[in-house]
Amino acid sequence: MFKRLPDCPATAVILTVDGRAIEAREGDSVAAALLAAGFAQTRQSAVSQSPRAPYCMMGVCFECMVTVDGVANRQGCMVPVREGMRIETLRGRREISA
Amino acid sequence: MAAESADVVVIGAGIHGCSTALHLALRGASVIVIEKDHAGRHASGVNAGGVRQLARHVAEIPLSIASMEIWERIGDLVDDDCGFECHGQVLVAETEAELEEFGVRVADLQRRGFTHEELIDKAELQRVLPAVAETCPGGIISRRDGAAQPYRTTQAFRRAASRHGVRFLEGVRVTGLARSGRAWRIGTTSGDFLAPKVVNAAGAWAGRFAAMIGEPVPLEVIAPMLMITSRVERFIDPVVILRSRKLSFKQFPNGTVLIGGGHLGRAFPEANRTILDWGKLQESARTVWELFPVMREAAIVRAWAGIEARMRDDIPVVGPSHKAEGIFHQFGFSAHGFQLGPGTGAVMAELLTTGRTNVPLQALDIGRFAGHSRAVV
Amino acid sequence: MSGHEFKDAYDVVVVGAGAAGLAAAAEIARAGLDTLLVDENAGPGGQIYRAITTTPVRKREILGDEFWNGAALVDEVRSSGASVTQTATVWSLDADLMLGISWGGRSRNVSARRVVVATGAMERPFPIPGWILPGVMTAGAVQTLLKSSGLLPAGRTVVAGTGPLLWLLSAQILRAGGAIDAILDTTPRGSLTRALPYASGFLLSPLFAKGLALRSEVMRKVRVVRHVTELVAAGGDKLETVTFATRQGAKATLPADALLLHQGVVPNTMLAMAAGVAHRWDERQLCWSPVLDQDGRSSIEGIFVAGDGAGIAGALAAELRGRLAGLAVVRDLRPGYESSETQSIRQKLQREERARPFLDVMFQPPREMRAPADDTIVCRCEEVTAGEVRKAARLGCAGPNQLKAFLRTGMGPCQGRLCGLTLTELLAEANGVAPGEVGHLRVRPPVKPISLSELAEMPVSEAATKAVVRG
């Protein structure tokens, strides 16, 4: 759904999302990396389990909450990617894990 | 303009004021409730919602038991189940020494004829609270206890009272109380009202009305803090409380977990504001972290404090004034008055309309503070 | 800056490194005051100057001069002596000027003698049927993706709504080589007539010429449908179509992979409200704004609010307001400190603000997209519809705080950021009273969730347990 500008020099960063390796670029937030890699959904809503994806990209909507390196409920749009980062989306799970 | 009159004016539309108003109306009295904000704005609307007979001061137990009988048929009274759920409440012992003290308490209560508290061992504790740390050796359970939704409950009482003819004046402040013949003239920001009887159910603000009639009491304005987590998988049914460390803990049906226990922030009653003390909330979080490892990754989404009155002896003032005939007090519930609301309202209505009640109130009489010269703020 | 260790106390903490926060921090630190500038993003710049120091977008014309101007502000802060900490979330501020800050997975309390809240703006909620579907995003979100990551929407893209940012984003997408299938302009008929009485201020502003140029640049390349109503996003697990009604009342449906929504920006009031700062309803901007004096001093002693968080006026005004708040803080804490600039900054600010009334009225979003039809979800977190809110109002619910107990509106993780304004307007409409009387959701800290572990492990400093002396 998103493509990179052709002349965008940025270092590649590898992270895993639900166990699958994806390539992101330095400067991406976790949510941007997910969108760039074609993930259509970051979580399911707590009430009706409806699919949700990043909406505001500025820390307002909380639709991009994911687990980052074992820490649940991080706003994906506020966390810069790092090499080797482990992301788990909340697909099929409640809004937070205990 | 002639002052409006009623049989009773109730000051304060918290759970207590609303409940007393409803029960008075059910007994045929005409009632006006005067509230400076709106019903349930303060402690009644934002407390932990515990419906608890467990671990109460012995002086409160009769009122608490009377209340419990109403809670168990609350829908019949107010046409709303108030979110009441009965999964018991458990006082968890953290050490063997504590469990021993609990045993002494339960035995003493039984000698007095109160059987709602039951001592449980480690096996039963693990059965009712599988998520509790294994170091806890037992506790006390009160199986009929539970929890309800405080704001919804207060609103339900308010609506039921309205349906039975009670008039609510919200956003109206009482400015004076004076004798007018055999009645009381209640001055407000919205004109004067006349009533032979007045109930002082003004919570954190009740001290000023007691002082107005020459009966000052040592009332401290407090701001008990609470915090809530986002949803977690259901892992606990009963409400949990501790004794040596301040903690109460419960999970709502939607999965969110409420953490309270009486740590205090600072109250600014004139401004309707509170300031939280994160150092103490940190302690609460620490306690939960230790006792319920399952909660460690949960997220805290909101913290707040209510504004409430605490008496020096931590039990309320319930009953007639000693100084002013026709004035009745119902305040100072010291952060554990929510469960008592339905029953205390019924007892107050009985007291106001018949002059007597079978529920013993002597220990809650305002006379115990006689000689106190000024309110503690 | 990374590896930053916080002190227990600073003279001044500035929250937010957008235009206002950068300017305030620079003014304050230059005067020799111990200044901490904390910001939640990876780099300074806020929303307008987002990723100004790191953007991979090389062609300057794509983002435009207004963007690159932000670099000077960042340089100014860097040479001012302020401590700057990025990726730090301020989750609490109270009337004691105590802040709760999360950084690197750990939280701590920090106290200050003055606090400047420069938390900027956020996009106005845009509740339409289907706005919760993956594929529906705000225009600002896509602008963020472009600035920070050089990402462009690749599929069939529809832009809908009203306001200057809609045109700026569209122009940026097109300049970068992206494509837009259609722009659905929801600006209601008659907006221009309503806005005309305010036109004199706008015509004199440089924004007028820029706005026109931007619009014609976009309209040359994209189909624009004007006066669109009944906007609906639809799809199964993600967006598939966008349906709307045209001025003539005809319904049309476009296939779409992305729908970018925008109907203006509103102050992000969360932190100021959590601190207890008094707010009032702004009838023209249709949002809550803090009650402030001309330097940004709020109702809470020691707390200033600057920038778009103080009422929407744009990036240049935000910078000027940041300077004014900064200089006022300096005057408070350094009584001898003289700055001759205050008066000229005030005059510049007045010129900037002159264009606002026209824009506010011209781009006031239509009522049906602020207080939508009954079947539209207004609270995304708890999935509550406008109809349920109206029903609660009929049952006697007067304000958004009472509503929480019945519907849980505003109690999900976003804490009412995306439903608060809608709830106020819906209740006002249903109860026939002014929004200002209905009131706003009471904001409770933490304004961003923190994990129980993080709170449990928070060191409690000496300073945090003592009353803070200000002055």
Side-chain angles (χ1 to χ4, degrees):
Chain A
M1 205 177 81
F2 285 87
K3 62 180 183 196
R4 301 269 177 192
L5 286 183
D7 53 344
C8 264
T11 317
V13 173
I14 306 293
L15 29 146
T16 64
V17 181
D18 298 332
R20 190 184 121 192
I22 66 162
E23 188 187 298
R25 301 286 177 85
E26 209 166 86
D28 284 353
S29 64
V30 167
L34 289 171
L35 288 169
F39 282 81
Q41 182 185 329
T42 39
R43 70 178 189 104
Q44 289 184 322
S45 71
V47 178
S48 75
Q49 276 74 52
S50 66
R52 298 295 174 92
Y55 174 75
C56 77
M57 292 301 291
M58 59 173 287
V60 168
C61 74
F62 291 77
E63 299 291 15
C64 63
M65 279 198 296
V66 289
T67 300
V68 178
D69 289 337
V71 181
N73 305 303
R74 306 280 324 262
Q75 288 185 290
C77 67
M78 305 307 293
V79 180
V81 294
R82 246 186 324 94
E83 182 69 33
M85 200 174 238
R86 284 176 298 111
I87 312 297
E88 289 151 70
T89 65
L90 300 183
R91 294 184 61 168
R93 296 166 63 193
R94 307 286 304 258
E95 124 188 341
I96 91 167
S97 67
Chain B
M1 201 174 73
E4 203 178 319
S5 62
D7 295 333
V8 184
V9 162
V10 176
I11 307 174
I15 180 72
H16 282 273
C18 291
S19 171
T20 297
L22 170 62
H23 285 102
L24 282 166
L26 290 171
R27 287 173 174 269
S30 64
V31 186
I32 296 171
V33 180
I34 301 172
E35 163 60 49
K36 74 181 181 65
D37 294 302
H38 63 256
R41 165 70 177 84
H42 295 289
S44 296
V46 298
N47 65 74
V51 178
R52 168 171 72 84
Q53 303 174 93
L54 179 67
R56 284 193 177 272
H57 190 290
V58 89
E60 288 180 346
I61 290 177
L63 265 183
S64 183
I65 290 173
S67 247
M68 208 63 220
E69 281 160 18
I70 299 178
W71 275 106
E72 286 171 343
R73 50 174 184 82
I74 195 94
D76 299 341
L77 181 66
V78 297
D79 203 23
D80 185 325
D81 68 14
C82 300
F84 175 57
E85 283 210 327
C86 170
H87 291 295
Q89 291 217 8
V90 181
L91 177 64
V92 174
E94 292 189 75
T95 62
E96 288 292 346
E98 211 171 50
L99 187 60
E100 221 166 280
E101 283 172 40
F102 289 1
V104 173
R105 172 180 165 89
V106 172
D108 175 60
L109 288 181
Q110 277 170 355
R111 267 194 305 279
R112 295 167 188 262
F114 300 128
T115 56
H116 56 287
E117 292 193 11
E118 182 189 324
L119 196 69
I120 56 172
D121 62 11
K122 183 170 180 171
E124 177 65 1
L125 180 68
Q126 286 288 333
R127 195 187 68 77
V128 296
L129 287 179
V132 78
E134 282 181 12
T135 50
C136 300
I140 305 178
I141 189 167
S142 174
R143 296 188 193 269
R144 283 166 64 196
D145 290 2
Q149 292 176 24
Y151 187 78
R152 179 169 155 192
T153 302
T154 307
Q155 286 293 318
F157 273 88
R158 184 206 180 286
R159 279 199 310 275
S162 289
R163 278 198 299 276
H164 287 93
V166 173
R167 257 193 83 193
F168 281 83
L169 297 170
E170 290 168 297
V172 175
R173 200 176 274 272
V174 171
T175 51
L177 275 175
R179 270 273 171 220
S180 175
R182 294 177 57 195
W184 286 92
R185 176 175 288 272
I186 301 101
T188 79
T189 49
S190 187
D192 286 4
F193 297 85
L194 285 171
K197 291 182 176 126
V198 175
V199 176
N200 175 15
W205 295 264
R208 74 176 62 163
F209 302 114
M212 247 179 222
I213 56 162
E215 202 165 30
V217 286
L219 180 155
E220 184 192 359
V221 177
I222 58 170
M225 299 186 291
L226 292 167
M227 52 187 172
I228 196 158
T229 71
S230 49
R231 292 171 166 89
V232 296
E233 297 295 345
R234 183 92 194 169
F235 72 98
I236 190 170
D237 289 324
V239 178
V240 173
I241 56 178
L242 298 184
R243 163 163 296 176
S244 51
R245 291 193 283 182
K246 288 177 177 170
L247 182 75
S248 77
F249 187 82
K250 80 158 202 220
Q251 187 170 28
F252 286 99
N254 68 13
T256 59
V257 175
L258 184 72
I259 301 167
H263 277 304
L264 301 180
R266 280 189 293 142
F268 299 87
E270 299 309 319
N272 281 352
R273 280 225 327 262
T274 57
I275 294 184
L276 302 180
D277 182 333
W278 286 97
K280 291 182 189 147
L281 289 173
Q282 185 261 9
E283 267 180 54
S284 296
R286 183 95 227 155
T287 307
V288 174
W289 194 90
E290 286 169 11
L291 287 184
F292 295 96
V294 69
M295 283 294 293
R296 289 179 185 181
E297 280 311 310
I300 305 293
V301 294
R302 279 190 305 284
W304 68 92
I307 301 180
E308 160 71 336
R310 178 163 76 190
M311 305 313 296
R312 202 160 54 194
D313 50 10
D314 267 320
I315 52 173
V317 175
V318 179
S321 160
H322 286 215
K323 290 280 171 69
E325 200 193 335
I327 305 271
F328 294 78
H329 298 297
Q330 185 180 2
F331 64 83
F333 288 84
S334 309
H336 43 258
F338 177 63
Q339 186 267 353
L340 297 177
T344 310
V347 169
M348 288 293 282
E350 185 187 18
L351 188 63
L352 263 77
T353 54
T354 70
R356 54 175 301 282
T357 170
N358 283 331
V359 176
L361 296 176
Q362 298 85 342
L364 308 179
D365 191 279
I366 196 166
R368 69 189 194 270
F369 299 119
H372 179 80
S373 58
R374 65 180 182 86
V376 178
V377 177
Chain C
M1 207 175 298
S2 62
H4 185 93
E5 268 309 309
F6 291 88
K7 291 189 258 184
D8 285 348
Y10 293 84
D11 288 331
V12 186
V13 175
V14 178
V15 184
L22 289 167
E27 295 290 352
I28 296 162
R30 260 205 299 269
L33 292 164
D34 190 11
T35 308
L36 173 68
L37 171 60
V38 278
D39 184 80
E40 200 176 9
N41 290 302
Q47 305 308 326
I48 296 289
Y49 307 133
R50 179 180 277 276
I52 182 76
T53 56
T54 57
T55 182
V57 179
R58 286 288 170 270
K59 278 193 202 153
R60 290 176 72 90
E61 64 272 21
I62 292 177
L63 297 174
D65 287 343
E66 287 82 2
F67 175 76
W68 298 104
N69 287 343
L73 261 181
V74 175
D75 291 342
E76 198 184 328
V77 165
R78 285 185 173 160
S79 59
S80 72
S83 306
V84 184
T85 304
Q86 298 294 152
T87 64
T89 301
V90 175
W91 47 262
S92 170
L93 168 66
D94 64 33
D96 285 342
L97 307 196
M98 181 68 71
L99 298 102
I101 303 178
S102 172
W103 185 84
R106 289 167 54 77
S107 276
R108 65 282 283 158
N109 281 132
V110 164
S111 71
R113 296 163 69 202
R114 294 290 183 279
V115 174
V116 180
V117 175
T119 47
M122 52 176 237
E123 286 173 278
R124 178 189 295 282
F126 201 145
I128 57 165
W131 70 312
I132 61 172
L133 283 169
V136 182
M137 305 177 79
T138 68
V142 172
Q143 208 179 30
T144 292
L145 288 166
L146 176 60
K147 289 173 180 171
S148 310
S149 299
L151 285 168
L152 278 178
R156 294 160 299 185
T157 302
V158 176
V159 176
T162 183
L165 182 76
L166 198 75
W167 300 97
L168 176 61
L169 170 76
S170 299
Q172 289 170 333
I173 290 176
L174 298 170
R175 291 173 199 160
I180 296 171
D181 290 48
I183 295 177
L184 307 178
D185 186 344
T186 60
T187 312
R189 296 180 75 168
S191 293
L192 187 59
T193 317
R194 279 191 293 278
L196 270 181
Y198 305 96
S200 59
F202 182 63
L203 293 172
L204 294 172
S205 155
L207 291 176
F208 173 63
K210 276 184 198 155
L212 280 184
L214 210 53
R215 224 183 147 90
S216 59
E217 175 188 347
V218 171
M219 287 176 84
R220 277 199 301 275
K221 295 184 183 154
V222 183
R223 172 187 169 207
V224 177
V225 187
R226 293 178 66 207
H227 307 311
V228 160
T229 57
E230 297 175 54
L231 193 60
V232 175
D237 274 357
K238 60 184 178 53
L239 176 71
E240 287 159 20
T241 60
V242 178
T243 300
F244 58 96
T246 64
R247 183 165 31 161
Q248 292 76 21
K251 287 277 178 75
T253 297
L254 298 171
D257 300 304
L259 171 62
L260 314 184
L261 294 175
H262 178 80
Q263 53 178 353
V265 296
V266 294
N268 181 352
T269 56
M270 294 297 283
L271 193 63
M273 281 184 177
V277 166
H279 285 68
R280 62 178 177 81
W281 180 259
D282 184 324
E283 281 294 340
R284 220 175 49 223
Q285 299 196 339
L286 302 173
C287 59
W288 297 102
S289 293
V291 178
L292 304 170
D293 77 359
Q294 61 175 353
D295 290 326
R297 224 177 276 272
S298 77
S299 64
I300 303 278
E301 195 194 335
I303 296 182
F304 292 70
V305 186
D308 269 358
I312 302 304
L316 293 177
E319 179 185 330
L320 296 167
R321 287 174 177 173
R323 291 195 194 283
L324 287 176
L327 290 170
V329 165
V330 173
R331 284 198 302 278
D332 276 10
L333 299 181
R334 282 277 154 84
Y337 189 86
E338 282 300 324
S339 166
S340 53
E341 295 165 48
T342 303
Q343 213 41 46
S344 76
I345 296 171
R346 283 205 181 117
Q347 283 162 2
K348 279 189 211 158
L349 178 60
Q350 274 175 4
R351 276 201 299 278
E352 276 303 315
E353 288 175 339
R354 217 176 281 154
R356 247 9 263 187
F358 176 84
L359 293 172
D360 292 343
V361 176
M362 179 68 208
F363 297 114
Q364 219 169 57
R367 168 158 287 280
E368 65 159 78
M369 287 169 194
R370 306 191 325 262
D374 280 353
D375 57 352
T376 309
I377 286 178
V378 295
C379 169
R380 296 169 63 105
C381 298
E382 300 293 329
E383 295 177 39
V384 181
T385 64
E388 289 173 275
V389 174
R390 290 193 176 100
K391 187 175 161 208
R394 284 196 294 276
L395 293 174
C397 202
N401 297 301
Q402 290 96 307
L403 205 57
K404 290 197 284 192
F406 297 98
L407 298 175
R408 286 191 52 81
T409 38
M411 293 178 86
C414 99
Q415 281 231 45
R417 286 168 173 84
L418 285 183
C419 67
L421 289 174
T422 317
L423 298 180
T424 291
E425 290 216 71
L426 280 170
L427 290 171
E429 170 204 272
N431 292 325
V433 297
E437 270 173 63
V438 168
H440 55 76
L441 281 168
R442 264 193 296 283
V443 178
R444 313 284 204 187
V447 298
K448 288 280 176 91
I450 50 171
S451 80
L452 183 103
S453 295
E454 193 169 322
L455 180 56
E457 289 159 10
M458 182 172 77
V460 179
S461 67
E462 272 294 293
T465 54
K466 280 188 212 140
V468 184
V469 181
R470 287 178 241 157

